Amino acid sequence: KALGFGLDSTGSNPVFPTHNPKLDGYFLNQLKATSAQRKFYFNVRLTRKTRELAQQLLRLNVIKRFARVHNSTHVDLYRVFPTYTRYRGHLRPLRTFARSKSRHRLQLKTLKILNTHTPSTHYLLETPKGLITHKTALSKNMGGLLLVIVY
């Protein structure tokens, strides 16, 4: 159990196998690397499921926008622009849990505790209803697999 908050490792068999952890991890690593190098954008191939992750990060103001590259030979090639502000010159800190070997399941009780102790932190969860934030999961009374923590 990590952190003692009731995180249960599910091993190599994810409970909700709707997302491909390798593609999510690749997208998030590209986002972190681009931010560290202070680049304005990066190009990445996005699947339908990974686009859901990009849309959630757009709602959380981690990325400014993403758009399809039209003059590419790949149909699903997108250009992603991270969000930089005047006061925060870098990307909001992210901690990824999108691994295929060790996945963490957050139960409803754990989400309530985390929401109380860290109200400005967002947790992206993979649930049977799709990819949602922990606040949406609390309103729907459900838990899920942890993908990303946005500080």
Side-chain angles (χ1 to χ4, degrees):
K1 294 193 178 195
L3 302 174
F5 284 121
L7 295 170
D8 296 331
S9 176
T10 59
S12 61
N13 297 324
V15 178
F16 310 113
T18 58
H19 280 74
N20 186 344
K22 290 182 182 179
L23 294 177
D24 293 340
Y26 178 75
F27 174 74
L28 293 168
N29 287 336
Q30 285 288 94
L31 182 61
K32 286 181 173 182
T34 301
S35 174
Q37 296 170 358
R38 306 273 305 153
K39 292 183 179 178
F40 290 116
Y41 65 88
F42 65 96
N43 293 333
V44 67
R45 293 180 66 184
L46 295 180
T47 62
R48 185 177 57 86
K49 297 292 184 181
T50 312
R51 259 194 319 266
E52 287 180 35
L53 176 62
Q55 288 171 349
Q56 287 290 341
L57 293 174
L58 182 67
R59 286 184 197 109
L60 294 175
N61 201 23
V62 174
I63 60 175
K64 187 185 302 184
R65 62 188 163 110
F66 63 98
R68 180 176 282 157
V69 178
H70 293 291
N71 58 358
S72 171
T73 57
H74 298 291
V75 177
D76 53 353
L77 186 70
Y78 283 79
R79 184 163 286 166
V80 180
F81 297 85
T83 300
Y84 300 109
T85 64
R86 173 187 289 179
Y87 305 107
R88 181 185 292 188
H90 54 83
L91 189 69
R92 289 177 67 178
L94 298 175
R95 182 155 183 207
T96 59
F97 290 88
R99 297 179 192 93
S100 59
K101 297 226 176 195
S102 88
R103 306 289 304 268
H104 300 289
R105 178 158 169 50
L106 293 178
Q107 300 168 352
L108 182 61
K109 181 179 175 183
T110 307
L111 289 176
K112 289 178 182 177
I113 293 170
L114 289 173
N115 191 39
T116 304
H117 291 293
T118 56
S120 62
T121 302
H122 295 277
Y123 302 91
L124 289 178
L125 303 171
E126 181 183 345
T127 65
K129 302 278 184 184
L131 187 67
I132 59 176
T133 63
H134 75 288
K135 296 184 185 209
T136 308
L138 283 172
S139 67
K140 293 183 178 184
N141 288 328
M142 62 181 359
L145 292 174
L146 181 63
L147 283 180
V148 181
I149 300 176
V150 181
Y151 296 100

